[in-house]
Amino acid sequence: MPRNYDIAELKRLDVKHHLPAQQDFKLIEDMGGSRIVTHAEGCYIHDGDGNRILDGMAGLWCVNVGYGREELVEVAAEQMRELPFYNTFFKTVAPPTVLLAQKIAGLTGGKLQHVFFNASGSEANDTVFRMVRQYWKLKGEPKRKVFISRWNAYHGSTVAGVSLGGMKFMHEQGDLPIPGVEHVRQPYWFGEGFGQDPVQFGKECAASIEERILAVGPENVAAFIGEPAQGAGGVIIPPPGYWQEVEAICRKYGILLVADEVICGFGRTGEWFGHQTLGFTPDLVPMAKGLSSGYLPISAVAVSSEIVEVMKTGGDFVHGFTYSGHPVCAAVALRNIEIIEREGLVARTRDDTGPYLAKALARLNDHPLVGETRSLGLLGAVEIVAEPGTNKRWGGTEGNAGPLVRDRCIENGLMVRGIRDTIVMCPPLTISHSQIDDLAAIIRKSLDEAWPALKAI
Ligand code: PXG
C-alpha cells in the first residue's frame, strides 16, 4: 500500500530540484509541480490528490502486463540477492541474460537469431546505427552510411535517436539531425492522404523511399528504419500493402530493413511483433518497453545471422553499455514474457480486446468532433476535426484540439496522450471489456466538454 507522503512538499521539491523529461520546465513551475503518481494496480494509477486514473497509456506505452505483478517483484529480489550486477564486457555474462536472448530469438524467429542488450529504446537505436555502419564497412561497402527514415517518426532522444526520428521540433534543439539521415514522407493517410485511395497513398509513400534512394545513390544507403505503426507520431497505421512495398524496395537495392518495435513489440498489435502483424521481415529489430513491461529498464536489438556472420570478421565491436545484459532486468523481462505467454495476452489482444477496442472507438464516429478512429491491436487513435467528414482542424492549424480534449480526459479519469489533434491510447494488454467501455465513454464525455472551448478558438 502507498506510503503516507507529504504531497505538497513533494510538489515543492519537484519544482525546486527535479527536471522532468521532454517538458517545459517553466510550465511545471507555474503548475506548482508535477502530478505525483504514488501507486498503481492493474490498469489504474493513483495520484497524491486522491485520483484514480485509468491508464490508457500503459505508463509510457510500456506496462503491457499491468501494474502490481508480485512475481516480477519477487524475481527481481531473487536475482538481486544472487547476482545484482555483472557486465558483458569481460567475456562474461549472467544466466538470465543468455536465457532472455534465447527467448527473444525464439519469438522473433526466422533469421533473427542474435540479441544485443541495452537499457533503453534510444540506446537500442544507437546500437542499430553503429552496427549497421560497421556491417557495411566490413562488407567492403564503406560508403553505405545513409539511413532513410520518415518525417514524424520517433526513434528516441539520444543524438542518434533524435536524428533517426523525424520530429522537426526535436531536430531544432541540439542542431540535429546529424549528417547521414534522410527523411521521407510518412504513411499518414488521415493527415496527408485524405480523399485519396488509401492503398494508392501508401504506394506513393513507399515510392518516396525509392526516389530518395535514387537521389542519394543506392551505393550510399545503409538502411531504412520505421516503426511498424508509428506511436509517438500519433498512432499512424500504414495502409495495407505499404510495408510489402517498402520491403521490396529495400531488397531491390540491397538495403537493410530495420523495424523499430519499441512500442509495437510484445503483443501490442496482436502478434508478438508489429512486423508479424503487418507481414514483413526485417533484418534488425530494436525493442524495449513491453520487453519488461517497464518494470525495469531494458532494451534489445534482434539481429539477423547474416549480419552477425559479417560482424564476426571485424574483431571487437566496440559498442555496449555498463547495463548491457543487466541480470536483474533480464530476469524480470524473462518472467514478464512468461506472464504474457501464460495469460495468452497476445492472442487475447488479436482476437478479443483489440477488436473490442476497435468497435468501442468506431462508435465514437457519430460524434461531430470525430474525423476518424483507428486501431491496431491495443494501439488506438481518435482524430478530432472542426467539421464532420473532413480533416479540417480547429483554428485552421493542427494542435489546438488535442491538448484540450486530453486534459478533459485526464480530469475525467483517463490517461491518454494528445498528439497534435489526435487522442492516442495504448492501454495495458490486461484491459477488460468494461474498462474499454469506460475509456470510450470518457473520451466521448471529454469531447462534449471541450467543444465550447474549441468553438471559442
Ligand atoms: N523507438 C520508439 C518507436 C519509441 O516509441 C523509443 C524508440 C525510445 O525509447 P526510450 O526508451 O529511449 O525512451 C521510443 C520511445 C511519447 C513518447 O511522447 C514516446 C516514447 C518515449 C517518450 C515519449 O509518446 N517512445
Side-chain angles (χ1 to χ4, degrees):
M1 275 316 286
R3 275 158 277 191
N4 203 8
Y5 292 110
D6 181 342
I7 298 299
E9 176 66 355
L10 285 172
K11 288 196 180 199
R12 193 184 68 77
L13 294 174
D14 178 50
V15 170
K16 192 155 181 231
H17 297 297
H18 171 236
L19 298 177
Q22 301 203 11
Q23 279 295 333
D24 176 343
F25 300 160
K26 181 72 171 64
L27 186 86
I28 302 287
E29 184 176 300
D30 293 346
M31 276 167 56
S34 307
R35 181 188 301 272
I36 310 287
V37 176
T38 50
H39 60 291
E41 88 285 323
C43 293
Y44 294 93
I45 54 171
H46 295 256
D47 71 16
D49 301 319
N51 298 305
R52 185 178 87 139
I53 302 172
L54 178 59
D55 190 3
M57 284 310 297
L60 194 56
W61 322 80
C62 56
V63 187
N64 286 14
V65 298
Y67 299 94
R69 295 288 190 163
E70 205 51 44
E71 60 182 300
L72 296 185
V73 180
E74 276 159 23
V75 88
E78 208 176 296
Q79 184 58 47
M80 273 195 203
R81 273 186 211 108
E82 197 169 288
L83 181 71
F85 176 80
Y86 210 72
N87 70 69
T88 67
F89 284 54
F90 296 170
K91 303 179 179 65
T92 50
V93 67
T97 308
V98 178
L99 296 175
L100 181 60
Q102 178 206 26
K103 186 76 213 175
I104 292 172
L107 296 176
T108 47
K111 61 185 183 178
L112 299 166
Q113 286 305 305
H114 307 271
V115 180
F116 194 102
F117 289 111
N118 330 263
S120 69
S122 302
E123 287 174 357
N125 282 324
D126 278 54
T127 296
V128 165
F129 195 90
R130 295 199 63 210
M131 191 183 282
V132 163
R133 284 188 167 180
Q134 174 67 356
Y135 162 82
W136 284 118
K137 193 169 165 191
L138 293 172
K139 280 268 279 188
E141 296 191 62
K143 278 168 62 188
R144 281 199 188 258
K145 285 186 192 155
V146 173
F147 279 78
I148 298 181
S149 173
R150 282 104 43 105
W151 290 118
N152 197 36
Y154 192 85
H155 297 300
S157 191
T158 52
V159 168
V162 173
S163 298
L164 289 171
M167 303 214 165
K168 289 183 187 166
F169 61 91
M170 291 183 85
H171 291 163
E172 279 163 16
Q173 297 181 1
D175 200 13
L176 300 171
I178 51 174
V181 185
E182 296 279 330
H183 296 91
V184 298
R185 61 194 296 203
Q186 56 174 339
Y188 179 25
W189 177 82
F190 189 80
E192 298 175 12
F194 199 77
Q196 229 180 310
D197 172 58
V199 172
Q200 182 54 31
F201 172 71
K203 279 200 172 124
E204 287 173 20
C205 292
S208 74
I209 300 169
E210 184 162 25
E211 283 157 26
R212 191 62 61 91
I213 291 169
L214 294 172
V216 171
E219 70 284 6
N220 298 315
V221 181
F224 174 80
I225 182 168
E227 305 150 77
Q230 286 152 261
V235 176
I236 291 163
I237 303 162
Y242 169 80
W243 274 110
Q244 287 64 41
E245 298 273 337
V246 173
E247 183 170 19
I249 292 164
C250 289
R251 301 297 165 228
K252 181 170 169 190
Y253 296 99
I255 291 162
L256 295 174
L257 177 53
V258 185
D260 182 342
E261 297 272 6
V262 168
I263 284 178
C264 292
F266 300 94
R268 177 57 54 193
T269 67
E271 298 292 340
W272 279 97
F273 293 97
H275 67 267
Q276 295 163 345
T277 302
L278 296 176
F280 66 99
T281 310
D283 300 295
L284 297 109
V285 175
M287 60 188 83
K289 298 191 187 264
L291 168 57
S292 65
S293 284
Y295 276 65
L296 283 175
I298 180 168
S299 70
V301 183
V303 187
S304 74
S305 302
E306 198 264 319
I307 293 174
V308 172
E309 286 313 307
V310 173
M311 294 297 288
K312 283 180 190 166
T313 66
D316 288 348
F317 176 43
V318 283
H319 174 79
F321 307 96
T322 303
Y323 300 128
S324 286
H326 193 291
V328 183
C329 302
V332 167
L334 260 177
R335 185 62 67 87
N336 169 65
I337 294 171
E338 207 181 297
I339 293 172
I340 298 175
E341 283 176 331
R342 194 199 310 140
E343 299 186 2
L345 294 176
V346 179
R348 183 169 177 258
T349 302
R350 184 188 59 220
D351 302 332
D352 178 10
T353 45
Y356 195 87
L357 176 70
K359 280 193 216 119
L361 292 180
R363 282 196 289 276
L364 294 172
N365 278 321
D366 67 2
H367 196 289
L369 291 181
V370 173
E372 180 186 78
T373 63
R374 55 176 181 268
S375 64
L376 185 67
L378 284 172
L379 268 181
V382 177
E383 293 277 2
I384 306 162
V385 292
E387 255 179 62
T390 72
N391 68 352
K392 288 198 183 128
R393 304 300 190 176
W394 287 92
T397 52
E398 279 196 321
N400 294 312
L404 273 170
V405 177
R406 173 206 59 202
D407 288 350
R408 293 311 315 151
C409 285
I410 299 171
E411 278 294 306
N412 289 324
L414 171 69
M415 187 57 80
V416 286
R417 264 173 80 18
I419 297 171
R420 297 181 309 279
D421 292 323
T422 314
I423 296 298
V424 303
M425 67 218 72
C426 176
L429 303 185
T430 51
I431 194 166
S432 68
H433 287 193
S434 74
Q435 287 165 338
I436 291 173
D437 291 340
D438 290 349
L439 177 150
I442 293 174
I443 294 175
R444 181 180 291 278
K445 178 169 184 251
S446 304
L447 288 166
D448 288 340
E449 289 174 0
W451 210 343
L454 291 173
K455 282 183 191 147
I457 290 173

